[in-house]
């Protein structure tokens, strides 16, 4: 079988039609390459998609916030995203007893629901965290610096980061070194008094990661979050009109405009390699599509251990890849409601943003504890959006959609998910009901995606949204593994561009952007 226009050869093939694959394909197309993008599913977007889950109700499939699509990607692809939203959405730390805390603007430019003294303490901590996250942000839109192989550009960037830190004074450098190695619980206890704010920061530092707030280096997750930006604001976020599927549509349009041919329903059975060099892909029905450049935007374990011929990578790298920690800890719940839920104390406008159930550091830590032993918490922590408030087409008139990320939900659950799915759902609904009384009575449909479901539906081994843990030993030059970082692989002509590559997960587009730039530079030089 040939491609839809009859061609069986291209300059480049991109595997995977998630947002990183679309970005990589568009970058290659804009550089004049003839590009084919193949996607196994019938729709594009991967986890950054939108789908109908109940008659008349649609929802964001996995990711439900736009908070880190890189400005470098927007500029490189000429994206105009104004139709998705032009004002930042707030974050609300829920508490049905004490009332909520509302963070306005970009992660708390403004703050309500706390004392003036606490607002001042939070402002000081926010400024400190933002300045430290800026240091990380300098290295996101470029390949990771490799130990012993620093390029001139790496040395310049490291020098600039050091100068920026020194300009803030000796104490700033000392604080950064100290905080980087500590945990988020100790940091918030040092700077804040209000448990609601402490719980929110602890939640944001550990969301999607198999760590608790008292785990060493857990603050790195918060730095990573704050290094992202939206509408030009560090730490900003929107619930996009049209959903995350609208973001995907913009990226797909940019790819098509660059001349990329896109094929859905086209899984890849193998990556062909001639004389040790990538030379094309093989489809399940045996057809081969030739290309000297292959960019894989699917999970690195699938790429390196399932698609390549035996012996294409050495035993050491194969062993390292097999030990990538990629077991998901988060579930996604979608509820179709016949009425808009009322969360206790939350103003109507604030309900259009992000609502978080994490009332204290101890609450987040207690939610994590069972996951260490393969169980879920009886009192989970949750991130909630109501996308139908931003885009009424998501639900029938008078109805609403609730989208929730629930943590912790270990992939390898003790007793198995088949036997305990209903118990988990009941636990989550009971938690939501405490914060939005009457919600359960308005449910007309539900969809629960556990890590094994995410693995099956989206092709993410282990059901991990980030294609691998975002912990310090699996970041930068160790992402996805030493020997296959920096987007290149030991197989010439094959590059990695998924969230499993630097800088990691979230809808940033940077793995695809960086991988395409590295591939163009290397293949042109060759």
């Amino acid at each position: 079988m040939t491609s839809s226009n009859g061609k069986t050869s291209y300059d480049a093939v991109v595997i995977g039609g998630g947002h990183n694959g679309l970005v990589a394909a568009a970058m290659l197309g804009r550089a004049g390459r003839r590009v084919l993008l193949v996607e196994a599913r019938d729709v594009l977007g991967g986890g950054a998609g939108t789908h109908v889950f109940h008659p008349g109700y649609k929802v964001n499939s996995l990711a439900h916030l736009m908070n880190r699509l890189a400005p470098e990607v927007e500029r490189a692809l000429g994206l105009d995203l104004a139709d998705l939203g032009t004002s930042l959405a707030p974050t609300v730390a829920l508490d049905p007893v004490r009332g909520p805390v509302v963070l306005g603007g970009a992660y708390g430019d403004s703050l309500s629901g706390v004392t003036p003294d606490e607002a001042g303490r939070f402002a000081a901590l926010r400024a400190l965290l933002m300045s430290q996250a800026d240091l990380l942000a300098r290295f996101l839109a470029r390949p990771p610096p490799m130990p012993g192989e620093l390029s001139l550009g790496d040395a310049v960037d490291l020098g600039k980061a050091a100068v920026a830190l020194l300009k803030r004074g000796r104490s700033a450098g000392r604080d950064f070194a100290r905080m980087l190695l500590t945990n988020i619980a100790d940091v918030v206890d040092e700077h804040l008094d209000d448990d609601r704010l402490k719980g929110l920061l602890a939640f944001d530092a550990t969301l999607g990661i198999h760590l608790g707030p008292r785990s060493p280096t857990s603050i790195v997750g918060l730095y990573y979050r704050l290094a992202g930006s939206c509408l030009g604001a560090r730490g900003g976020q929107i619930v996009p009109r049209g959903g995350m599927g609208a973001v995907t549509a913009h990226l797909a349009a940019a790819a098509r405009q660059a001349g990329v041919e896109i094929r859905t329903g086209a899984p890849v059975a193998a990556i062909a390699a001639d004389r040790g060099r990538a030379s094309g892909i093989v489809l399940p029905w045996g057809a081969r599509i030739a290309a000297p450049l292959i960019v894989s935007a699917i999970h690195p374990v699938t790429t390196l251990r399932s698609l390549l011929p035996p012996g294409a990578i050495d035993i050491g790298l194969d062993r390292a890849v097999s030990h990538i920690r990629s077991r998901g800890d988060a579930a996604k719940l979608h509820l179709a409601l016949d009425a808009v839920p009322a969360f206790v104390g939350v103003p109507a406008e604030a309900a259009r943003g992000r609502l978080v159930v994490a009332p204290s550091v101890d609450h987040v830590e207690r939610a994590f504890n069972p996951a260490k032993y393969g169980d879920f918490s009886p009192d989970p922590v949750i991130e909630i959006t109501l996308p139908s408030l931003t885009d009424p087409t998501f639900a029938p008139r008078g109805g609403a959609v609730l989208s929730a990320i629930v943590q912790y939900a270990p992939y390898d659950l003790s007793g198995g998910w088949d036997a305990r799915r209903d118990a988990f759902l009941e636990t989550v609904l009971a938690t939501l009901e405490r914060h939005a009384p009457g919600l359960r009575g308005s449910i007309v449909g539900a969809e629960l995606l556990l890590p094994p479901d995410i693995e099956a539906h989206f092709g993410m081994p282990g059901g991990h949204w980030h294609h691998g843990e975002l912990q310090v030993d699996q970041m930068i030059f160790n992402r996805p593994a030493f020997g296959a970082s920096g987007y290149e692989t030991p197989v010439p002509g094959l590059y990695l561009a998924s969230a499993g590559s630097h800088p990691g997960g979230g809808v940033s587009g940077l793995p695809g952007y960086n991988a395409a730039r590295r591939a163009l530079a290397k293949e042109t030089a060759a």
Side-chain angles (χ1 to χ4, degrees):
M1 183 174 179
T2 62
S3 65
S4 59
N5 66 5
K7 287 191 291 187
T8 58
S9 66
Y10 294 82
D11 296 328
V13 171
V14 176
I15 304 172
H19 77 282
N20 280 310
L22 290 166
V23 169
M27 293 283 292
L28 294 171
R30 289 172 71 95
R33 302 302 196 269
R34 294 176 300 112
V35 182
L36 171 68
L37 181 146
V38 291
E39 163 58 39
R41 301 171 71 224
D42 292 330
V43 295
L44 298 171
T50 302
H51 71 275
V52 174
F53 73 103
H54 187 79
Y57 294 83
K58 60 183 178 180
V59 75
N60 296 308
S61 302
L62 289 182
H64 56 195
L65 291 165
M66 194 173 94
N67 58 8
R68 59 183 311 110
L69 187 63
E72 293 88 351
V73 171
E74 294 185 41
R75 288 193 297 268
L77 302 188
L79 300 178
D80 181 0
L81 306 177
D83 61 313
L84 302 179
T86 56
S87 59
L88 296 174
T91 288
V92 182
L94 297 174
D95 191 308
V97 177
R98 294 169 292 178
V101 176
V102 180
L103 282 68
Y107 208 77
D109 281 335
S110 61
L111 196 63
S112 64
V114 298
T115 66
D117 286 346
E118 186 70 358
R121 284 187 284 270
F122 179 81
L125 176 58
R126 177 186 179 279
L128 176 63
L129 292 171
M130 287 290 188
S131 68
Q132 293 171 347
D134 280 342
L135 297 174
L136 172 63
R138 292 171 179 268
F139 299 97
L140 299 185
R142 59 173 296 120
M146 299 296 291
E149 301 179 16
L150 290 182
S151 67
L152 178 60
D154 292 333
V156 169
D157 280 349
L158 287 169
K160 287 180 178 178
V163 169
L165 189 58
L166 289 173
K167 283 183 177 179
R168 296 169 190 160
R170 183 178 300 176
S171 62
R174 185 174 59 247
D175 278 346
F176 181 61
R178 176 179 62 87
M179 291 171 63
L180 185 64
L181 299 175
T182 189
N183 62 68
I184 187 63
D186 287 347
V187 171
V188 296
D189 280 344
E190 180 181 341
H191 290 86
L192 302 173
D193 289 335
D194 195 298
D195 281 341
R196 295 166 298 176
L197 285 174
K198 293 182 184 182
L200 173 64
L201 269 63
F203 175 87
D204 283 344
T206 55
L207 180 59
I209 305 172
H210 188 69
L211 291 177
R214 299 195 188 282
S215 303
T217 73
S218 56
I219 194 173
V220 172
L222 186 58
Y223 288 147
Y224 185 76
R225 178 186 183 87
L226 296 179
S229 63
C230 183
L231 302 183
R234 186 82 69 207
Q237 63 188 5
I238 63 172
V239 180
R241 284 193 296 269
M244 296 304 294
V247 180
T248 292
H250 276 281
L251 297 175
R256 291 189 175 101
Q257 187 175 14
V260 175
E261 181 185 341
I262 296 175
R263 294 181 60 186
T264 57
V268 174
I271 295 172
D274 293 335
R275 300 177 197 169
R277 180 181 177 87
S279 58
I281 60 171
V282 180
L283 303 178
W285 43 90
R288 174 169 169 162
I289 296 174
L293 172 58
I294 308 295
V295 177
S296 180
I298 62 175
H299 200 291
V301 172
T302 302
T303 302
L304 297 174
R305 303 197 77 221
S306 299
L307 296 186
L308 283 174
I313 60 175
D314 63 43
I315 293 174
L317 178 58
D318 182 73
R319 183 181 296 114
V321 171
S322 72
H323 285 91
I324 293 172
R325 298 192 309 284
S326 189
R327 300 287 190 176
D329 241 358
K332 187 77 189 295
L333 174 64
H334 305 139
L335 296 179
L337 309 173
D338 62 14
V340 178
F343 285 84
V344 176
V346 177
E349 190 58 33
R352 296 176 179 270
R354 177 177 74 122
L355 314 177
V356 176
V357 177
S360 70
V361 169
D362 286 346
H363 186 109
V364 181
E365 187 72 23
R366 285 194 298 267
F368 171 61
N369 284 337
K372 293 186 291 188
Y373 309 103
D375 208 347
F376 63 78
S377 170
D379 199 2
V381 288
I382 308 174
E383 176 182 88
I384 303 157
T385 64
L386 301 169
S388 52
L389 297 184
T390 299
D391 187 339
T393 66
F394 271 49
R397 183 182 296 273
V401 168
L402 183 146
S403 173
I405 300 172
V406 186
Q407 191 155 307
Y408 297 83
Y411 176 88
D412 295 308
L413 184 74
S414 176
W417 279 112
D418 287 345
R420 303 186 65 195
R421 175 184 291 263
D422 291 345
F424 179 74
L425 177 58
E426 173 60 31
T427 295
V428 177
L429 292 179
T431 302
L432 293 173
E433 180 74 15
R434 289 201 304 272
H435 293 273
L439 179 143
R440 297 185 67 148
S442 65
I443 297 173
V444 296
E447 178 183 54
L448 177 61
L449 298 175
L450 300 164
D453 304 319
I454 293 167
E455 176 182 64
H457 294 346
F458 300 101
M460 298 179 182
H464 201 297
W465 299 31
H466 300 313
H467 293 197
E469 280 288 296
L470 276 173
Q471 295 186 27
V472 290
D473 65 321
Q474 288 193 176
M475 297 179 73
I476 312 175
F477 50 79
N478 280 327
R479 191 166 189 88
F482 194 82
S485 57
Y487 316 104
E488 296 175 63
T489 72
V491 179
L494 174 62
Y495 297 81
L496 303 178
S498 85
S501 294
H502 175 77
V507 184
S508 72
L510 286 173
Y513 171 86
N514 289 341
R517 294 180 72 202
R518 172 56 67 93
L520 288 167
K522 293 291 288 189
E523 299 304 308
T524 300

